[in-house]
Amino acid sequence: PKKTMMLAQKLYEGIKLEKKGTVGLITYMRTDSVRLSDQALEEVRNFIPERYGKDYLPLKPNIYKRKKSAQEAHEAIRPTTLSRTPAMMAQYLDQEHLRLYELIWKRTIASQMESAQMERTTVDFKDGAGQTLRATGSVVRFAGFLKLYEEGKDDAKDDDGGKRLPAVTEGENMNTEIVREDQHFTEPAPRYSEASLVKKLEELGIGRPSTYASIISVLQDREYVRLDQKRFMPEDKGQLVTAFLSSFFTRYVEYDFTAQLEERLDDVSDAKVDWKQVLRDFWNDFSLSVEGTSELRVTDVLEELNKVLGPYVFPAKEDGSDPRACSKCDDGKLSLKTG
């Protein structure tokens, strides 16, 4: 997200076209709006039937709304004009800028195209030996916006709809090319990537589009996590901080607390609530929590962290003995220490 924002800023500031001066390619601002202007809607609705046919144009413009947005006065990020196609701009942009521009250009058009029509399908085949083979997936009945653009995925297995299947009819003959037996085991949910983490933050109402890049940067800059094959892996420091906050500042790391506070800040932005009152309500409770933890002894804090992080720091032993028992003496006990 941080890199994308920087690239978008450069596209907004413009590039120098040969003998044509400097031209901005996208409208860009600090916005989470999904609203297109009437002028942009008219251009998109004229473009779609010319390029893809009338079947791909809905009767009315598709109107999108966010659950809550303090920036609906702004317009969504979009190309300044659709006539500047990615193919036309390839000679002026480097590869990264071109990929970003193409993404914005395609999504702008796809957002105003007809919906795709998909059919979940299970097809059973029988071979000459009477063995039943099964394929499960989706058949595209009408491509709609998929003719132009399809959302990318971090992993192929993230696709809940399964694989795409061709349209088949009952009794149709098929040729068997490869039959493969696979054994499947239940796996834990995949760790978050940048994209799936942002998606989860949106679902929980935490943060805003303008803050997602800084959230991800802080997690890595403070070495709470590291990226491994595009997935966030927790570091020891991250485990420790999380255990401390969840043990002694439980209220402030709950999802609903963060989402509700963000909503109150939006109300301040809309002049519905006095900002001093919002700060006062937050500080009165928070200061009491801080005072409560300041009275704790270090040994109390460490013992609580030992309980929470026990399975991680002191994994269970195969013989069932106490994993925290000292291997050098009879009565010693392993423990986390400060430092």
Side-chain angles (χ1 to χ4, degrees), residues 131-144:
Q131 185 76 22
T132 299
L133 308 175
R134 171 169 292 181
T136 301
S138 301
V139 176
V140 180
R141 294 303 181 187
F142 176 67

Side-chain angles (χ1 to χ4, degrees), residues 34-322:
V34 291
R35 182 186 65 82
L36 293 178
S37 66
D38 294 340
Q39 178 184 356
L41 284 174
E42 182 181 358
E43 184 182 10
V44 175
R45 288 182 62 79
N46 289 333
F47 184 89
I48 291 173
E50 291 177 4
R51 179 66 68 94
Y52 304 103
K54 294 182 179 180
D55 291 342
Y56 290 87
L57 181 69
L59 295 177
K60 296 180 179 180
N62 296 326
I63 304 300
Y64 302 92
K65 291 183 179 180
R66 296 185 65 86
K67 292 182 180 179
K68 185 174 182 63
S69 175
Q71 300 169 353
E72 281 303 323
H74 297 308
E75 198 181 351
I77 296 174
R78 64 169 177 84
T80 53
T81 174
L82 298 178
S83 62
R84 295 194 179 107
T85 63
M88 179 190 299
M89 304 316 300
Q91 58 183 315
Y92 303 108
L93 300 174
D94 62 37
Q95 194 61 33
E96 286 191 330
H97 283 89
L98 182 62
R99 288 177 61 194
L100 177 61
Y101 181 73
E102 185 178 20
L103 175 68
I104 296 170
W105 189 85
K106 284 185 174 181
R107 287 188 65 140
T108 301
I109 299 171
S111 70
Q112 292 303 316
M113 295 177 74
E114 275 284 11
S115 299
Q117 298 175 14
M118 311 290 290
E119 182 178 84
R120 287 279 294 149
T121 304
T122 299
V123 184
D124 288 339
F125 306 89
K126 282 198 174 181
D127 60 15
Q131 185 76 22
T132 299
L133 308 175
R134 171 169 292 181
T136 301
S138 301
V139 176
V140 180
R141 294 303 181 187
F142 176 67
F145 70 92
L146 294 177
K147 187 175 182 68
L148 172 65
Y149 172 80
E150 186 169 1
E151 187 79 32
K153 299 186 181 345
D154 291 321
D155 293 307
K157 62 185 178 184
D158 290 343
D159 185 2
D160 295 332
K163 297 180 179 180
R164 294 283 168 80
L165 299 177
V168 296
T169 57
E170 187 172 354
E172 186 175 346
N173 290 326
M174 295 288 173
N175 294 324
T176 303
E177 294 184 358
I178 299 174
V179 178
R180 186 180 68 245
E181 293 184 3
D182 291 330
Q183 186 175 10
H184 295 279
F185 297 93
T186 302
E187 296 181 354
R191 293 191 179 275
Y192 287 116
S193 64
E194 288 192 5
S196 60
L197 179 59
V198 169
K199 182 179 180 181
K200 188 64 177 180
L201 290 173
E202 286 181 327
E203 292 175 0
L204 296 172
I206 297 173
R208 295 293 180 265
S210 58
T211 63
Y212 294 144
S214 61
I215 290 173
I216 290 175
S217 293
V218 167
L219 289 174
Q220 296 178 83
D221 294 343
R222 296 186 181 177
E223 298 180 348
Y224 294 150
V225 298
R226 72 180 187 279
L227 270 178
D228 183 10
Q229 297 182 345
K230 297 184 178 181
R231 297 288 180 178
F232 287 120
M233 306 296 290
E235 296 282 22
D236 290 346
K237 186 189 295 185
Q239 296 271 17
L240 191 64
V241 171
T242 301
F244 176 77
L245 292 176
S246 60
S247 298
F248 300 104
F249 290 90
T250 307
R251 176 75 186 105
Y252 300 98
V253 292
E254 291 177 348
Y255 299 141
D256 62 339
F257 171 81
T258 307
Q260 289 170 12
L261 184 57
E262 300 247 16
E263 289 181 2
R264 295 204 69 189
L265 293 176
D266 285 340
D267 290 337
V268 171
S269 176
D270 294 338
K272 296 178 181 178
V273 179
D274 178 33
W275 65 272
K276 292 182 180 179
Q277 186 60 46
V278 173
L279 288 177
R280 191 177 297 115
D281 293 342
F282 169 81
W283 181 251
N284 287 339
D285 292 337
F286 185 68
S287 59
L288 292 175
S289 297
V290 173
E291 290 176 7
T293 56
S294 64
E295 297 175 359
L296 290 169
R297 294 181 304 169
V298 174
T299 53
D300 296 330
V301 175
L302 288 177
E303 190 53 40
E304 184 64 29
L305 294 180
N306 280 322
K307 293 179 183 177
V308 177
L309 294 175
Y312 173 70
V313 182
F314 310 109
K317 295 183 177 180
E318 295 182 0
D319 60 5
S321 60
D322 184 2

